[in-house]
Amino acid sequence: MGRIAELRTIVDHPYSYLQKIKDQSGKKIVGTVCSYAPEELIFAAGALPVRLFGSDSGIHRADLHLQSYCCSLVRGILEEALSGRLDLLDGMVFPHTCDSIQRLSDVWRLNLVKPFHADVVLPVKLSTPSARQYLTDVLNKFKTDLECGLNQEITEANLIHAVKIYNAIRTQMTRLYQLRCENPQGIKGQDFHTIIRAAMIVEREYFLESLTAIVADLEKMTSEKEPSRARRLVISGGICNHPDVYDAIEAADGVVVGDDLCTGSRYFEGVINENLPPLAAIAQRYSERAICPAKHAGLTQRGENLVRTVRDCKADGVIFMLLKFCDPHAFDYPYLKEMLDREKIPSLLLEMEEQTEAGGQLQTRLETFIQIL
Ligand code: SF4
Ligand code: SF4
């Protein structure tokens, strides 16, 4: 089986993969819900951090606890937990970001008993020197909580190793992004999406090995690239859990060449400075990486970052993928669109549920947008 096919099997059946890891190695599994979860510390505690996504079995039990105007991602994660499908988790980590994630944490704490439950209360404004010190203190407390909750000491050597592994993954991911940008025909959107999802699930050392091999293969293909007439697009939003959308874009003669997603560049951006003490260095990366709308680092930082991404990727347009009832992204959309309009960058807004399938109306909207580019 090829590397990407192997990753896809894991991404399509994450719970059986995680159960196998637990059974074979006794490794603890810790769920996370957001790209601000300090995964390096979970890794350093010998556990496997796993980003959770919503339910594809419909949402029933979660509606007894969360209003239907919470986003389908959060309601879907709760559904998975209340259905018992997340019983394999040894703990959960909730960064203090959007309201929906905070409410999910409250409901989780009251209804789902796990050995470990942490709220990581990061500051809202991340760009000041005092925020960075505060962040380091928060990470220090999280480290102590993890040690107690998982009954595992986190040594300096473990932390340094974790930083090295995550840096190596982020460096390879950055190269993968560059290669896609140079030759988007070299890798299908679905495969790219599989790699990103796998980065959040698979044992990280093994993932790094697979990723390095995939990037090396792609490097060879890039040198044989052919010019393409497909329209180049950047996707912007919170999460993209819609592999079908990539196929729909490609069927409409478009290609994704960059993104501004939590399940994308925001998750990988920026390496950790290996010359600083690990916790201070992790805090520094958080304060410098591209922010999400649940955080603040200046009134127009996200818009500037999006315009820069479009320019760097030589993109023809932007597709906003907005999860219904996601307030933080909905509030940011008007000003982001305005900034794109000022730069004469066309954009399309798609409002979706986490499990929206491509086809029909979505396909027509994509085709119409791509044709005018
Ligand atoms: S948009 Fe922000 S709060 Fe929401 S998942 Fe992404 S990083 Fe977390
Ligand atoms: S940022 Fe939006 S999509 Fe992400 S968890 Fe919060 S409300 Fe849901």
Side-chain angles (χ1 to χ4, degrees), residues 35 51 53 177 180 192-193 196 200 234-242 245-246 249 256 258-269 285 289-293 302 305-306 309 318-323 329 352:
S35 67
R51 176 80 184 261
F53 288 86
Y177 267 74
R180 176 177 68 167
F192 201 87
H193 180 264
I196 290 173
M200 303 171 178
V234 166
I235 300 183
S236 174
I239 60 151
C240 177
N241 193 19
H242 305 90
V245 168
Y246 290 97
I249 290 172
V256 177
D259 68 53
D260 163 44
L261 296 167
C262 299
T263 48
S265 57
R266 276 202 293 276
Y267 179 63
F268 301 109
E269 197 195 74
R285 174 178 171 268
R289 65 159 249 210
I291 52 152
C292 86
R302 278 202 70 214
N305 184 49
L306 182 56
T309 304
V318 172
I319 296 178
F320 288 99
M321 287 185 50
L322 186 63
L323 216 54
H329 281 279
M352 313 184 77

Side-chain angles (χ1 to χ4, degrees), residues 168-218:
I169 290 175
R170 286 174 184 137
T171 305
Q172 289 293 331
M173 283 305 299
T174 304
R175 185 62 192 138
L176 187 68
Y177 267 74
Q178 286 166 348
L179 290 168
R180 176 177 68 167
C181 190
E182 287 165 20
N183 178 25
Q185 265 65 32
I187 181 163
K188 285 194 73 63
Q190 279 245 16
D191 290 344
F192 201 87
H193 180 264
T194 296
I195 295 168
I196 290 173
R197 285 285 309 271
M200 303 171 178
I201 299 171
V202 178
E203 281 195 291
R204 299 308 191 264
E205 276 119 329
Y206 185 71
F207 174 74
L208 176 59
E209 206 183 297
S210 297
L211 177 63
T212 307
I214 292 166
V215 168
D217 285 349
L218 217 56

Side-chain angles (χ1 to χ4, degrees), residues 102-264:
Q102 290 175 55
R103 294 299 71 77
L104 177 64
S105 173
D106 296 338
V107 175
W108 199 290
R109 193 188 299 278
L110 292 171
N111 293 279
L112 294 145
V113 181
K114 295 279 169 210
F116 179 64
H117 181 123
D119 292 298
V120 184
V121 187
L122 310 168
V124 173
K125 190 168 182 182
L126 293 168
S127 52
T128 62
S130 57
R132 194 177 299 177
Q133 181 54 53
Y134 180 82
L135 258 167
T136 310
D137 295 344
V138 169
L139 292 175
N140 224 329
K141 178 177 181 311
F142 178 57
K143 173 175 171 284
T144 311
D145 291 346
L146 260 178
E147 289 176 324
C148 296
L150 300 182
N151 197 19
Q152 175 68 49
E153 188 194 356
I154 301 174
T155 64
E156 185 81 357
N158 294 148
L159 273 174
I160 290 169
H161 177 62
V163 165
K164 277 190 191 311
I165 293 291
Y166 272 84
N167 271 351
I169 290 175
R170 286 174 184 137
T171 305
Q172 289 293 331
M173 283 305 299
T174 304
R175 185 62 192 138
L176 187 68
Y177 267 74
Q178 286 166 348
L179 290 168
R180 176 177 68 167
C181 190
E182 287 165 20
N183 178 25
Q185 265 65 32
I187 181 163
K188 285 194 73 63
Q190 279 245 16
D191 290 344
F192 201 87
H193 180 264
T194 296
I195 295 168
I196 290 173
R197 285 285 309 271
M200 303 171 178
I201 299 171
V202 178
E203 281 195 291
R204 299 308 191 264
E205 276 119 329
Y206 185 71
F207 174 74
L208 176 59
E209 206 183 297
S210 297
L211 177 63
T212 307
I214 292 166
V215 168
D217 285 349
L218 217 56
E219 298 271 9
K220 288 181 215 143
M221 287 170 60
T222 302
S223 57
E224 300 153 9
K225 70 181 170 210
E226 295 200 359
S228 151
R229 291 177 46 215
R231 292 296 167 203
R232 298 168 67 88
L233 299 162
V234 166
I235 300 183
S236 174
I239 60 151
C240 177
N241 193 19
H242 305 90
D244 293 352
V245 168
Y246 290 97
D247 283 348
I249 290 172
E250 285 161 13
D253 214 7
V255 278
V256 177
V257 290
D259 68 53
D260 163 44
L261 296 167
C262 299
T263 48

Side-chain angles (χ1 to χ4, degrees), residues 71 73-74 98 100-101 239 323 325-329:
C71 75
L73 170 67
V74 156
C98 71
S100 299
I101 288 178
I239 60 151
L323 216 54
F325 305 116
C326 170
D327 286 347
H329 281 279

